Amino acid sequence: RDTLGNISILVDNQQPNIFSTNISIEGKNNDARVSGRYDAKEKNMDMQLDIGKLDLSMIKPLSAGQIRNIRGWLRGNLHATGSFDQPVLTGKIRFDSAYITPSISGERLKLSSDSIQFNREGISLNQFTFLDSAGHKAVLDGHLYTKDYKHYRFDLAFNADDFIMINTPIETNRIFYGKLNMDIGLQIKGDVAAPVVTGHLHVNKQTDFTLILPSSDPEVVSRQGVVLFADKDHPIDTARIRTYLDSLSRNAGFRGITASANIETDSSAKFNLIINERTGDALSVRGRASLAGAMNKNGKLSLTGNYVLDDGAYNLSLRLLKRKFNLQRGSTITWTGDPTGATIDITATYLCTTAPISLVGNQMAGMTQEEINKFNQKLPFVVNLKMEGLLLKPRITFSITLPPNDAALWQNVDSKLAELNSNASELNKQVFALLLFNTFISENPYENTSGGNSNAALMASQSASNLLTSQLNELAGGFGKRVDLTLGVNSNQTVNTSGQAINQTALQVGVSKSLFGDRVKVSVGSDFQLSGASQGPNASNIAGNVKIDYTLTPDGKYIIRVYSMNQYNTVVEGQVVETGVSFIITLDFDTFNELFEKKYSSKEKSNTKQEAQPTNPNQP
């Protein structure tokens, strides 16, 4: 469904057995001609191909989606003699202003304008160069030997330094994306039926490559094609169709590729493994790899060696829980053959700073109040996540520890953690308490620990308040565009003058409206006490808090605010109304120096330039 140009075909037979040919394509950026003759009796030809220019974009519709973009022209001259079975081509072709973007890599490659030579032995590539988007070179050099342009023998070398092999954004149904930057040195030998590739690959520090693990069940995929349908009335036709569909039968001449390469990585190269795309579970690693990869003629891949991690993170997602664990240096991924059967030994940590009083609550019998208060001090607890076994199906276990220096000073806490780590059910409870609420919970989580302020019920209430707030705001967003409505729930704990702890829960309601082309914004709202000893504002008083913002300049840099805030104060144990006027300045800057630089108007800049010009035109 495209236009190639005007095609003219002229073939005459004025001499017996001699066919004179003149074929041309013109227009639509194409200009190519084939002229000459063919001797049907001797079965030989004498043809001349002159390519003024051929638009490469016409190849894209024929690529079955393998080419994302291609531009430029093909130019050259070829002379063809011999027979169609064994043609002899001499001459050269070259690319002009050409580039190609393969769909699989996403990286735009500029093609060399150097000539590709055709001779009696085949095709000669003399330092044919590819340029990536950063201007780095990849060079293909050598020969393709052929007698019939159907069967080839390779003697090629492919070398690249700091070359971008993959550079593609996140796209639907793409199992990998990101940037893959490599040094490459490959030798390609053998023939088209059995190529032999050897060399080395080095992944450079500019790499940030992401691979998404397939989420489909491998057992289900392996069962595809088990059921075969046959026509019992025409069994011969069924056998023919089956033979045609069998790629091995259709390509019996292809014996397979033999490849081997040493693979290394820079310690700054970043690899991301998306374990579960739906939940966000992901492994991000940096480290040094020393691997040996190979593929035999049957297509079986093998990979051996270690990948020692220097840095990285594991993003854990369990329903509402999302936490980032930092990988520890020295963790390893080991391959012993099957690339998908890698084994891992990875330790990741998450630091929680909290008081241990709820953890050691049952050990404080007989302690003085001063000794109990000591456990209200916050300590750095380390939640360790251990991943072992197969990379695609790791076993994950947890433990909680103190740093060595703190463990020596807090022996009671350290001994309790040792006891806790030996009890899987109790350990999991404390791990998720730390990850969710950043606190330990006592054996009876709704019982206040003596002398402590870590109430698990309050923590759960605060967590639920955050979830409820997000849901309420999402619901309020559908009320319309005339006003902005925000709803929230806030839970906290205060201590009155008598030292009594008071749990308070308030419903926050706010309404705002922009007027006069968004130059004036009026916001009203209030907090309504749902629980707690304090008395909040009257339920009918929706405008307990009022703010009026006036934007002095259209860019919103200067704002004057008039406000009246009605808030509960724990010191006076009552409502305090604050009324005032504030002046707000908003600045955008990339560096701190911009805050102190004088800003000139366009007229001032023009005057400054005129003053800087010399009055004498001959003066330098």
Side-chain angles (χ1 to χ4, degrees):
R1 299 186 177 182
D2 200 357
T3 303
L4 302 181
N6 299 317
I7 301 178
S8 174
I9 302 176
L10 176 63
V11 179
D12 63 53
N13 185 217
Q14 296 179 1
Q15 301 181 35
N17 300 320
I18 302 296
F19 292 89
S20 298
T21 305
N22 195 334
I23 303 173
S24 66
I25 302 177
E26 296 178 320
K28 298 291 289 186
N29 289 321
N30 291 312
D31 181 15
R33 300 177 184 276
V34 178
S35 59
R37 50 183 248 166
Y38 175 72
D39 190 330
K41 182 177 181 180
E42 300 295 332
K43 295 185 177 181
N44 60 41
M45 60 181 169
D46 186 359
M47 300 282 188
Q48 180 68 31
L49 171 62
D50 297 313
I51 306 175
K53 63 178 180 178
L54 280 178
D55 190 354
L56 295 176
S57 62
M58 66 182 181
I59 300 175
K60 182 180 177 180
L62 308 176
S63 67
Q66 298 305 309
I67 297 177
R68 178 176 296 179
N69 199 4
I70 183 170
R71 289 289 186 274
W73 293 272
L74 181 67
R75 304 179 187 272
N77 305 96
L78 291 176
H79 186 216
T81 58
S83 65
F84 282 112
D85 292 334
Q86 288 189 333
V88 177
L89 298 180
T90 57
K92 59 185 179 180
I93 61 173
R94 65 182 180 86
F95 294 101
D96 181 10
S97 303
Y99 68 86
I100 182 173
T101 306
S103 297
I104 190 172
S105 68
E107 173 66 5
R108 171 174 160 165
L109 302 176
K110 183 179 180 181
L111 304 180
S112 172
S113 59
D114 294 337
S115 298
I116 301 174
Q117 302 287 338
F118 289 78
N119 51 46
R120 292 182 176 273
E121 294 182 338
I123 303 174
S124 176
L125 298 169
N126 185 17
Q127 299 288 320
F128 188 81
T129 304
F130 302 86
L131 292 178
D132 64 14
S133 57
H136 302 144
K137 291 183 179 180
V139 178
L140 182 63
D141 191 29
H143 295 80
L144 287 86
Y145 297 98
T146 182
K147 295 295 184 181
D148 54 10
Y149 287 88
K150 297 179 181 178
H151 303 87
Y152 294 88
R153 182 169 57 85
F154 303 116
D155 184 13
L156 297 172
F158 183 78
N159 294 281
D161 291 326
D162 207 20
F163 195 74
I164 302 175
M165 293 296 297
I166 295 176
N167 186 16
T168 179
I170 301 175
E171 295 176 341
T172 305
N173 297 327
R174 178 176 283 277
I175 64 170
F176 61 83
Y177 57 88
K179 180 181 286 188
L180 181 62
N181 186 288
M182 303 180 70
D183 295 338
I184 303 172
L186 296 177
Q187 298 291 326
I188 306 171
K189 304 289 185 181
D191 55 36
V192 70
V196 179
V197 181
T198 59
H200 72 274
L201 305 172
H202 186 275
V203 181
N204 296 325
K205 62 183 180 180
Q206 294 87 349
T207 295
D208 189 351
F209 184 72
T210 299
L211 174 66
I212 302 175
L213 294 181
S215 58
S216 58
D217 188 345
E219 294 183 0
V220 175
V221 176
S222 65
R223 292 197 294 267
Q224 293 180 356
V226 172
V227 179
L228 299 177
F229 295 91
D231 187 349
K232 293 183 178 181
D233 296 330
H234 304 87
I236 297 179
D237 292 343
T238 302
R240 288 176 177 173
I241 293 174
R242 188 180 304 172
T243 301
Y244 176 77
L245 295 177
D246 188 348
S247 60
L248 294 178
S249 299
R250 290 189 289 112
N251 299 284
F254 182 71
R255 300 190 301 273
I257 299 175
T258 301
S260 62
N262 296 321
I263 305 171
E264 299 176 343
T265 63
D266 190 277
S267 60
S268 298
K270 182 179 180 181
F271 294 93
N272 307 295
L273 186 66
I274 307 298
I275 299 174
N276 190 320
E277 189 177 14
R278 180 174 57 85
T279 63
D281 279 16
L283 182 66
S284 175
V285 297
R286 290 187 178 94
R288 295 185 180 274
S290 180
L291 306 171
M295 182 173 66
N296 61 20
K297 293 182 179 180
N298 296 327
K300 183 179 180 181
L301 297 173
S302 66
L303 191 64
T304 57
N306 293 329
Y307 184 37
V308 182
L309 307 184
D310 289 343
D311 188 16
Y314 179 76
N315 292 312
L316 176 68
S317 299
L318 294 172
R319 294 180 181 267
L320 301 176
L321 175 64
K322 296 183 182 293
R323 292 292 183 266
K324 180 179 179 181
F325 285 75
N326 295 317
L327 301 185
Q328 296 301 295
R329 180 185 295 269
S331 298
T332 59
I333 304 176
T334 304
W335 285 269
T336 57
D338 184 4
T340 62
T343 59
I344 60 176
D345 183 6
I346 296 176
T347 300
T349 61
Y350 178 79
L351 183 63
C352 298
T353 303
T354 188
I357 190 164
S358 296
L359 177 67
V360 297
N362 58 358
Q363 297 180 349
M364 293 188 298
M367 291 185 179
T368 64
Q369 186 62 41
E370 183 179 355
E371 292 173 330
I372 293 175
N373 291 337
K374 175 183 176 183
F375 293 100
N376 284 321
Q377 181 177 340
K378 291 186 176 182
L379 300 178
F381 290 92
V382 180
V383 179
N384 301 290
L385 184 150
K386 185 77 171 179
M387 290 182 286
E388 296 176 304
L390 296 177
L391 174 62
L392 301 185
K393 293 183 179 180
R395 298 189 307 272
I396 298 179
T397 57
F398 293 96
S399 64
I400 304 174
T401 59
L402 276 173
N405 294 337
D406 293 290
L409 298 175
W410 298 83
Q411 296 183 1
N412 290 345
V413 178
D414 188 52
S415 61
K416 182 62 179 179
L417 290 177
E419 177 186 343
L420 181 67
N421 290 329
S422 62
N423 186 339
S425 60
E426 185 67 20
L427 173 63
N428 290 334
K429 181 179 72 174
Q430 297 294 357
V431 165
F432 285 98
L434 287 175
L435 297 180
L436 277 172
F437 309 128
N438 197 39
T439 185
F440 290 101
I441 57 177
S442 59
E443 294 181 359
N444 183 358
Y446 295 102
E447 178 182 354
N448 287 331
T449 303
S450 176
N453 59 0
S454 58
N455 189 324
L458 175 63
M459 294 296 182
S461 175
Q462 291 175 338
S463 179
S465 299
N466 293 333
L467 296 175
L468 182 59
T469 296
S470 62
Q471 295 299 319
L472 288 173
N473 282 321
E474 183 175 351
L475 178 63
F479 286 168
K481 297 183 178 180
R482 294 186 178 181
V483 296
D484 294 328
L485 176 63
T486 59
L487 300 172
V489 178
N490 184 31
S491 292
N492 55 61
Q493 187 181 75
T494 61
V495 180
N496 59 18
T497 55
S498 61
Q500 181 182 2
I502 302 174
N503 294 331
Q504 297 178 338
T505 302
L507 174 64
Q508 301 169 335
V509 181
V511 179
S512 61
K513 173 69 174 177
S514 296
L515 305 170
F516 307 111
D518 295 336
R519 294 294 295 271
V520 177
K521 183 176 181 181
V522 180
S523 303
V524 296
S526 188
D527 294 348
F528 303 98
Q529 291 299 130
L530 302 180
S531 66
S534 65
Q535 297 297 323
N538 191 300
S540 63
N541 183 16
I542 185 66
N545 301 322
V546 179
K547 291 188 299 183
I548 301 176
D549 294 344
Y550 176 67
T551 304
L552 297 177
T553 56
D555 59 1
K557 183 177 181 180
Y558 303 107
I559 299 175
I560 290 180
R561 170 176 295 174
V562 180
Y563 65 92
S564 176
M565 306 295 293
N566 190 345
Q567 295 179 336
Y568 179 80
N569 190 289
T570 57
V571 177
V572 300
E573 299 186 27
Q575 297 296 130
V576 176
V577 178
E578 178 183 347
T579 304
V581 178
S582 60
F583 181 64
I584 302 171
I585 303 177
T586 303
L587 297 176
D588 294 334
F589 59 93
D590 296 322
T591 61
F592 285 106
N593 291 337
E594 296 181 25
L595 292 175
F596 308 102
E597 291 179 353
K598 183 178 179 181
K599 303 297 183 182
Y600 294 96
S601 65
S602 57
K603 183 177 181 179
E604 290 176 333
K605 290 181 179 179
S606 177
N607 293 336
T608 303
K609 290 181 180 180
Q610 292 178 2
E611 293 175 359
Q613 294 178 355
T615 55
N616 186 357
N618 298 323
Q619 184 180 353

